[in-house]
């Protein structure tokens, strides 16, 4: 298996190198034969996802090799489980949209079934599971629920245990939500409508990017061309980034936390 993984790494670094070559030399695309070759590379590059996913590499490994990767379903997962079936159905639907919009951070399950009070978010090959307390006061989550949820993710996506992160959602003091819970300082990039953002699944309750604000960010971005944008309570400034990408003349982000504004 290790030898196969090494072969897959070398193979896809080669394909990626060709991809980067053409991206950095866009004038080649004005030449029709080069353009046809470039298109073929892109299609081949895309087809390699499924091959590597099923044969060699885990989702988080693929995300380190390829600039944008959405995992496929693993073969042989339990199709008799209503929980697994719901995740599969949700992901199958959202994956089409995510591929079209170049987005690799989104929710794939949100307390759809009463017996599974969790939310599962996908972040570029990583999974964040948020467990909602039954009484909203205690953060003790039944161990069998944790095992079943993690087992479902591993089964469906061929994910490794270290790519799954957990949070508990209970009533907290206002300041607790923004306090550090670790000091790992491990950031990685995700894409939202083609725009890159850094997230951190270790150190805070929140990740640095509120996924439920995505369409609002798009709405603001579409209005921002040639305008000056003031972003108050900016958190990690994602609204400002989208506005700038869409042609805002100037953006100003304000937040009480220097840590979060420096995150952008």
């Amino acid at each position: 298996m290790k030898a196969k993984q090494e072969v897959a790494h070398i193979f896809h670094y080669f394909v990626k190198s060709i991809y980067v070559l053409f991206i950095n030399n866009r004038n080649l695309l004005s030449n029709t034969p080069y353009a046809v070759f470039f298109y073929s590379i892109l299609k081949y590059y895309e087809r390699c996802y499924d091959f590597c996913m099923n044969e060699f590499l885990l989702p988080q490994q693929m995300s380190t090799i390829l600039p944008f990767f959405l995992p496929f379903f693993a073969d042989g997962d339990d199709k008799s489980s209503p929980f697994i079936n719901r995740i599969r159905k949700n992901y199958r639907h959202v994956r089409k949209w995510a591929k079209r919009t170049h987005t690799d951070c989104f929710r794939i399950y949100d307390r759809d079934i009463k017996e599974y009070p969790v939310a599962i978010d996908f972040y570029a090959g990583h999974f964040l599971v948020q467990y909602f307390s039954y009484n909203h006061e205690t953060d003790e989550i039944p161990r069998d629920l944790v095992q079943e949820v993690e087992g479902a993710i591993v089964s469906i996506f061929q994910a490794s245990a270290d790519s799954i992160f957990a949070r508990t959602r209970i009533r907290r003091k206002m300041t607790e939500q923004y306090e550090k819970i670790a000091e790992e300082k491990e950031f990685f990039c995700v894409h939202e409508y083609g725009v890159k953002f850094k997230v951190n699944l270790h150190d805070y309750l929140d990740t640095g990017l509120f996924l439920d604000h995505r369409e609002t960010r798009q709405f603001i971005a579409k209005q921002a061309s040639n305008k000056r944008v003031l972003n108050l309570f900016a958190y990690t400034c994602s609204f400002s980034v989208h506005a700038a990408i869409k042609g805002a003349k100037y953006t100003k982000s304000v937040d009480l936390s220097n840590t979060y504004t420096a995150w952008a």
Side-chain angles (χ1 to χ4, degrees):
M1 176 59 73
K2 184 176 180 180
K4 289 184 177 180
Q5 289 182 345
E6 290 176 353
V7 170
H9 275 281
I10 295 171
F11 177 71
H12 284 283
Y13 273 122
F14 171 72
V15 177
K16 182 179 178 180
S17 297
I18 297 176
Y19 174 85
V20 172
L21 170 67
F22 278 90
I23 286 295
N24 293 334
N25 296 274
R26 294 177 184 274
N27 59 303
L28 294 176
L29 297 183
S30 61
N31 185 302
T32 301
Y34 282 121
V36 172
F37 178 67
F38 176 67
Y39 177 77
S40 300
I41 287 294
L42 284 180
K43 298 303 291 182
Y44 187 67
Y45 191 47
E46 182 178 277
R47 290 175 62 188
C48 287
Y49 291 171
D50 195 16
F51 175 76
C52 264
M53 173 61 193
N54 291 330
E55 296 296 329
F56 304 128
L57 303 178
L58 301 175
Q60 68 272 24
Q61 293 174 310
M62 286 297 293
S63 65
T64 63
I65 296 176
L66 304 179
F68 179 80
F69 172 69
L70 298 172
F72 291 79
F73 295 129
D75 293 329
D77 58 302
D78 181 9
K79 296 180 175 60
S80 66
S81 165
F83 179 56
I84 289 179
N85 289 339
R86 180 59 61 91
I87 295 175
R88 287 174 59 89
K89 178 181 177 182
N90 291 351
Y91 181 71
R92 183 182 292 110
H93 174 74
V94 75
R95 189 181 187 279
K96 296 176 182 178
W97 164 87
K99 185 177 179 181
R100 185 173 66 252
T101 61
H102 204 81
T103 299
D104 59 6
C105 51
F106 44 81
R107 180 154 294 183
I108 58 177
Y109 178 87
D110 193 1
R111 294 181 284 182
D112 300 22
I113 302 174
K114 182 180 179 180
E115 291 76 16
Y116 300 92
V118 303
I120 304 174
D121 296 324
F122 176 77
Y123 287 92
H126 304 77
F127 299 86
L128 177 64
V129 183
Q130 302 181 62
Y131 295 90
F132 292 84
S133 173
Y134 289 105
N135 59 14
H136 303 289
E137 298 292 345
T138 177
D139 58 0
E140 293 184 7
I141 304 300
R143 185 60 193 165
D144 57 345
L145 176 61
V146 174
Q147 291 176 342
E148 188 168 358
V149 171
E150 292 185 356
I153 294 172
V154 170
S155 173
I156 297 170
F157 300 104
Q158 199 75 29
S160 66
D162 60 5
S163 71
I164 303 173
F165 300 81
R167 299 286 189 276
T168 54
R169 290 293 179 178
I170 61 173
R171 291 194 183 98
R172 300 181 187 273
K173 295 178 180 178
M174 183 64 70
T175 56
E176 286 183 338
Q177 184 171 351
Y178 304 103
E179 293 177 352
K180 276 192 174 183
I181 58 177
E183 290 282 352
E184 299 293 333
K185 297 181 180 179
E186 291 187 12
F187 294 84
F188 63 92
C189 287
V190 299
H191 300 81
E192 181 183 83
Y193 284 102
V195 180
K196 280 187 177 182
F197 293 98
K198 291 191 300 183
V199 298
N200 182 326
L201 302 185
H202 290 275
D203 296 342
Y204 301 89
L205 284 173
D206 293 316
T207 65
L209 187 67
F210 292 125
L211 300 185
D212 56 342
H213 293 179
R214 180 177 54 237
E215 298 310 318
T216 309
R217 283 190 285 268
Q218 275 295 287
F219 174 79
I220 295 298
K222 290 177 181 178
Q223 319 301 318
S225 180
N226 294 317
K227 293 184 175 66
R228 295 167 62 87
V229 178
L230 174 61
N231 183 5
L232 301 177
F233 308 100
Y235 189 41
T236 57
C237 313
S238 55
F239 277 85
S240 302
V241 173
H242 271 292
I245 291 292
K246 289 296 185 179
K249 287 183 178 179
Y250 173 86
T251 65
K252 181 67 174 180
S253 302
V254 181
D255 195 275
L256 289 175
S257 171
N258 291 330
T259 299
Y260 286 129
T261 53
W263 191 320

